[in-house]
Amino acid sequence: MTTHLPVIFIHGLWLHATSWDSWIDMFDQAGYTATAPGWPGDPDTVAEARANPESIADHGIDDVVAHYAKIIQGLDAKPILVGHSFGGMIAQKLLGQDLAAAAVAIDAAQIKGVLPLPLSALRATLPVFKNPANRHRSVSLTAEQFRYAFGNAISPEESDELFERWTIPAPGKPLFEAAAANFDPHSPAAVNTANEMRGPLLLMMGGRDHTVPEAVTRATLKQYRHSSAITEIMDFPDRAHSLTIDHGWRDVADAALAWIGTHADAIARAAS
């Protein structure tokens, strides 16, 4: 039974792990044991993260993958992973390494091999790329930058409230690694997309997302064309990058739960 499997939520850049709290409650009520461990260096609270930004700095993709792999090793069963943004990339890497029973990657950061680079994505990540030294630093967004990168499909008032509630500084290193992925034969952004033995994967996308536009997610799906493992895509046309935390989060969470239930047998096989 998939409801006996643990679920691990993985946040992306600029959101604290506690932004998953409502999802955890919903999955717990559905019979799962859900947790949202932070990235390496993440303090326990939003306030602590803002007060100590350098604790988060200079952690790259491989550091984050190793961190979650160690957490998974301490579990009694392979978990179901739910990741947002860079958390969606991390979830895909762990799934490709057969460390998870299934993964839901929501507006996932682009993996190696994905070529589209929409202008909106460049603008959304400009706060990091405008200074090469940010590769080894943590970078914070302003409320205005958050509205463009996350909150463009909701009211400015809701975007500002989410910004105040959940945002933290983020390491610049993962963005620099992802940007150079297609020029680096050993890029940490590479995912084993050809793995035919892995568990099911769902790619979710927001049609109004500036940070990870639909073109990126559709190109990600194509990277899995050489695998016969279950790989599906789901579109929320009116949502942007805030879809996991804004007023419509429950629709996204419900869809993820329903998809997991639909593929319960395949997930159980992958977990064994």
Side-chain angles (χ1 to χ4, degrees):
M1 294 287 291
T2 56
T3 50
H4 293 163
L5 295 179
V7 176
I8 293 179
F9 293 98
I10 307 174
H11 70 82
L13 301 181
W14 292 300
L15 293 181
H16 192 266
T18 52
S19 64
W20 288 113
D21 282 355
S22 295
W23 287 68
I24 290 173
D25 290 343
M26 175 181 282
F27 273 66
D28 282 345
Q29 291 170 17
Y32 297 91
T33 301
T35 57
W39 283 28
D42 278 5
D44 291 338
T45 68
V46 170
E48 289 175 285
R50 291 173 179 170
N52 188 24
E54 292 313 306
S55 68
I56 299 166
D58 212 24
H59 290 109
I61 294 169
D62 283 343
D63 299 322
V64 182
V65 171
H67 172 74
Y68 283 98
K70 185 175 181 180
I71 292 171
I72 290 170
Q73 289 169 3
L75 301 176
D76 293 332
K78 290 182 182 178
I80 298 167
L81 304 177
V82 181
H84 173 248
S85 197
F86 260 94
M89 174 200 280
I90 302 305
Q92 290 177 74
K93 284 185 66 71
L94 292 165
L95 183 67
Q97 296 171 7
D98 291 323
L99 294 176
V104 177
I106 306 169
D107 286 341
Q110 66 189 75
I111 63 176
K112 181 177 172 64
V114 171
L115 298 179
L117 190 59
L119 290 176
S120 68
L122 290 173
R123 178 178 169 184
T125 53
L126 185 61
V128 173
F129 289 128
K130 67 181 181 181
N131 186 346
N134 285 339
R135 180 183 181 93
H136 302 291
R137 297 173 176 168
S138 63
V139 179
S140 298
L141 297 180
T142 65
E144 181 180 2
Q145 290 165 342
F146 180 84
R147 282 196 297 273
Y148 183 84
F150 283 77
N152 57 288
I154 57 178
S155 70
E157 293 77 16
E158 182 179 5
S159 178
D160 289 351
E161 189 276 329
L162 295 174
F163 172 82
E164 290 298 332
R165 187 175 184 185
W166 298 125
T167 59
I168 62 173
K173 189 173 183 178
L175 279 168
F176 282 91
E177 291 174 330
N182 292 325
F183 307 99
D184 180 358
H186 305 293
S187 170
V191 171
N192 183 6
T193 56
N195 184 351
E196 297 190 348
M197 304 304 294
R198 63 163 172 82
L201 169 65
L202 175 63
L203 300 171
M204 286 180 159
M205 58 186 178
R208 296 179 62 185
D209 194 327
H210 282 164
T211 302
V212 184
E214 281 187 324
V216 171
T217 305
R218 294 192 186 281
T220 301
L221 178 66
K222 291 180 180 179
Q223 295 299 306
Y224 287 92
R225 64 190 180 277
H226 299 301
S227 172
S228 60
I230 295 169
T231 311
E232 296 179 355
I233 195 166
M234 186 180 296
D235 188 11
F236 290 85
D238 61 340
R239 305 300 175 85
H241 210 58
S242 67
L243 79 174
T244 60
I245 57 171
D246 62 32
H247 67 275
W249 72 268
R250 188 176 293 274
D251 294 336
V252 185
D254 280 337
L257 270 174
W259 179 86
I260 290 168
T262 297
H263 296 292
D265 290 343
I267 294 171
R269 287 194 298 271
S272 62

